[in-house]
Amino acid sequence: MSIVGAMPESLQPEREQLHRVLGSDAFRHSASLRHLLAYLGEKSLLTPAEDVKEYTIGIEACGKPQSYDPQKDASVRVQVGRLRQKLQDYYQKDGLEDPILLDLPKGRFTVLFRARPAASVEVNPIRKRLSAAVASVRSASRLTLLLVALLVLALTWAGIL
C-alpha cells in the first residue's frame, strides 16, 4: 500500500516525520497501528482538505468486508483512538524534539502535520531532565517504601511489634 509515489517535494519534511514516527520504538511492536498511521498519514498528505471516511478506512486500511457498517462496528474508531494515544506516547518520549508534530484530532480521521512551536523546542531539554529527576525520585520512593515494609515485616516476625 504505497500511495506516496506522487507526493510533491514540498511535503518531504512531513513525509520524513511520518516515517520517523512509524520507525520509532512506540510503533515497533504494533503492526496494525503502524499500518493505520501510514495509511492515514499518506492520505492526509495527498488530500489534506478531505477527511477520510470511517467506512473507507475500514475497507482500505483495516481489511473489513464491503458489508462493513461503521454504525454497528466501532472497531475502526477504537483503533483510531489507540492510534491517538500511541502518538501522544511517542511525543512524550521519543519525539520530544521532533520539528513536526502529527496530530489526529478527535472526531476526525485526518492526520494534521504541524510545526512544533519554537518555545517548546527550547524547553524540551529541561523537560527531559525534569522527567528523569521525577523518575528517579519515584524509583527512590518505591525503594524506601519497600525497605520500610520489609522492616515492619521483620519486626513483626521477631515479635517486637
Side-chain angles (χ1 to χ4, degrees):
M1 174 207 68
S2 184
I3 56 178
V4 224
M7 193 165 300
E9 291 282 329
S10 63
L11 294 175
Q12 193 60 28
E14 289 84 353
R15 186 178 184 190
E16 288 173 3
Q17 180 62 33
L18 177 60
H19 288 285
R20 183 179 302 117
V21 173
L22 290 169
S24 70
D25 286 339
F27 284 86
R28 184 162 290 139
H29 301 293
S30 184
S32 62
L33 291 181
R34 195 171 53 246
H35 179 76
L36 181 58
L37 178 58
Y39 173 83
L40 292 175
E42 291 174 1
K43 280 280 203 184
S44 299
L45 285 171
L46 289 174
T47 55
E50 293 180 29
D51 196 21
V52 185
K53 301 295 181 208
E54 183 177 353
Y55 175 81
T56 305
I57 296 167
I59 302 299
E60 293 181 1
C62 299
K64 300 285 184 188
Q66 296 291 324
S67 61
Y68 166 67
D69 182 358
Q71 299 296 325
K72 295 178 182 174
D73 182 352
S75 61
V76 170
R77 289 188 302 280
V78 169
Q79 281 296 91
V80 171
R82 288 181 181 146
L83 179 56
R84 281 187 190 98
Q85 183 59 51
K86 191 65 84 168
L87 281 170
Q88 283 182 347
D89 293 347
Y90 170 80
Y91 282 109
Q92 289 176 353
K93 296 176 187 162
D94 298 338
L96 282 173
E97 297 182 23
D98 286 0
I100 297 174
L101 305 175
L102 275 61
D103 185 23
L104 190 56
K106 284 191 175 186
R108 297 189 59 196
F109 299 107
T110 301
V111 176
L112 303 177
F113 294 81
R114 300 181 179 164
R116 181 182 294 277
S120 66
V121 172
E122 295 168 11
V123 173
N124 282 338
I126 296 168
R127 186 183 297 163
K128 263 185 173 176
R129 281 188 240 133
L130 182 60
S131 294
V134 167
S136 51
V137 166
R138 284 184 183 155
S139 177
S141 297
R142 288 183 185 140
L143 180 61
T144 303
L145 186 60
L146 178 64
L147 290 174
V148 168
L150 287 173
L151 180 62
V152 168
L153 183 64
L155 292 174
T156 302
W157 183 70
I160 296 176
L161 289 181

